[in-house]
Amino acid sequence: MQVGICGAGTMGHSMAEIFAKSGYTVTLYNHRLPTLEKAKTQIDPSVRDAIVYTTSWDDLYAMDLIVENVKEDMDVKLAFYQELSKHIQDTTIVATNTSGLSINALSKGISHPERFIGFHWFNPPTIIPLIEIIKGDQTTDTIAQTIYDVALSLDKKPVMVNKDVLGFAANRVQLAVVREVLDLVDRGIVSKEGADDLMKYGLGFRWACLGPLETLDFGGLDTFYHISEYLIPDLCDSHDVPKILAENYEKGRYGIKTKAGFYDYPDDLDQKKTQERDQKLAALYNALYKK
């Protein structure tokens, strides 16, 4: 299978590396040459020269699969698909790595929407094993199964999302947790450090080995049923952006990328924290899944 990765940012060049290491013939496309040249320096030397780097649409014609990683903006993506459709074969599968934009809405820009699908990777893609595969209303079962099998061939852990909903599955779960956590912090019930520790040393630690439904089975559905009776009605159910998230956003405190978010990252602390994260994730992956 010949694979074209469109967009050479962090996710795109990482995907190109992963596909190349798995034996696929890979072309990495980006419309800006400087971005492409920078991406090449960030790809593992073991496969760097096996990848074709291009700024030409024509080099995408022979691709069996295109994975799109352009800007997370509906209009930008639709314009990209409309141009892409002029330069690929009718049999080409087009997958998007959008984090949550509607697959049905995006498919309107593609000449063959039945061959269009969501293919949501998680950052850092070289470590996180999960990939969500999201079917649009017109996506055929054959295409969905093909992409599922591709994910398996990359040694990933795919989850099929059978219906196109906002945020797909993972981000819906994540934001439900975030909403409750930020409500607890905002009401002074736990500190921000305490909230993070709850997940790192308790829930997240356990969920790395047992999913939430498996956790219910181990804890006893009768126990969780009775907890649900009194606790579910008391949980945060606000439909607004959490207050303390909005306050940080309005102050331009976006996290690691601006060296300030819920925490501050002066000097090179942002880089150190990123390296620490990657080392811990890699250690966890190796402990749980390394063959």
Side-chain angles (χ1 to χ4, degrees), residues 138-154:
Q138 297 185 66
T139 308
T140 67
D141 291 340
T142 300
I143 294 300
Q145 186 61 52
T146 297
I147 297 304
Y148 189 93
D149 292 341
V150 166
L152 289 175
S153 76
L154 300 174

Side-chain angles (χ1 to χ4, degrees), residues 186 241-254 261-262:
D186 188 47
V241 174
K243 178 183 175 182
I244 53 179
L245 176 59
E247 288 174 349
N248 277 289
Y249 173 79
E250 290 163 3
K251 293 176 182 176
R253 295 173 62 91
Y254 300 159
F262 287 104

Side-chain angles (χ1 to χ4, degrees), residues 38-149:
K38 180 180 179 182
K40 189 173 183 179
T41 67
Q42 297 173 319
I43 291 174
D44 191 315
S46 66
V47 294
R48 181 181 296 156
D49 293 336
I51 297 170
V52 175
Y53 303 86
T54 185
T55 58
S56 173
W57 288 102
D58 293 338
D59 289 330
L60 299 176
Y61 180 76
M63 300 299 106
D64 300 299
L65 168 64
I66 296 287
V67 184
E68 168 271 310
N69 292 279
V70 303
K71 184 178 179 181
E72 189 73 349
D73 178 278
M74 180 67 73
D75 292 337
V76 170
K77 288 184 183 292
L78 287 174
F80 174 83
Y81 297 145
Q82 288 167 1
E83 184 63 31
L84 176 68
S85 294
K86 302 175 185 176
H87 300 278
I88 58 176
Q89 303 174 72
D90 291 344
T91 55
T92 301
I93 301 171
V94 179
T96 175
N97 184 39
T98 179
S99 298
L101 293 176
S102 168
I103 302 303
N104 289 331
L106 289 172
S107 72
K108 295 177 181 179
I110 290 290
S111 55
H112 291 278
E114 72 279 3
R115 303 184 68 79
F116 183 72
I117 195 165
F119 197 36
H120 181 210
W121 297 47
F122 293 77
N123 191 34
T126 51
I127 302 175
I128 302 293
L130 177 66
I131 292 181
E132 286 183 298
I133 297 168
I134 308 97
K135 296 169 64 175
D137 289 348
Q138 297 185 66
T139 308
T140 67
D141 291 340
T142 300
I143 294 300
Q145 186 61 52
T146 297
I147 297 304
Y148 189 93
D149 292 341

Side-chain angles (χ1 to χ4, degrees), residues 186-262:
D186 188 47
R187 292 197 285 152
I189 295 172
V190 294
S191 66
K192 61 186 179 183
E193 293 85 0
D196 282 335
D197 287 349
L198 285 172
M199 294 302 299
K200 289 190 294 185
Y201 305 120
L203 297 178
F205 185 77
R206 182 165 60 191
W207 285 351
C209 304
L210 295 172
L213 301 186
E214 291 173 317
T215 297
L216 266 61
D217 274 351
F218 274 83
L221 270 64
D222 53 335
T223 299
F224 279 95
Y225 175 86
H226 292 304
I227 293 173
S228 296
E229 284 185 302
Y230 66 80
L231 188 53
I232 291 293
D234 198 54
L235 294 177
C236 178
D237 61 357
S238 171
H239 288 184
D240 298 323
V241 174
K243 178 183 175 182
I244 53 179
L245 176 59
E247 288 174 349
N248 277 289
Y249 173 79
E250 290 163 3
K251 293 176 182 176
R253 295 173 62 91
Y254 300 159
I256 288 285
K257 66 177 67 175
T258 59
K259 290 182 173 289
F262 287 104

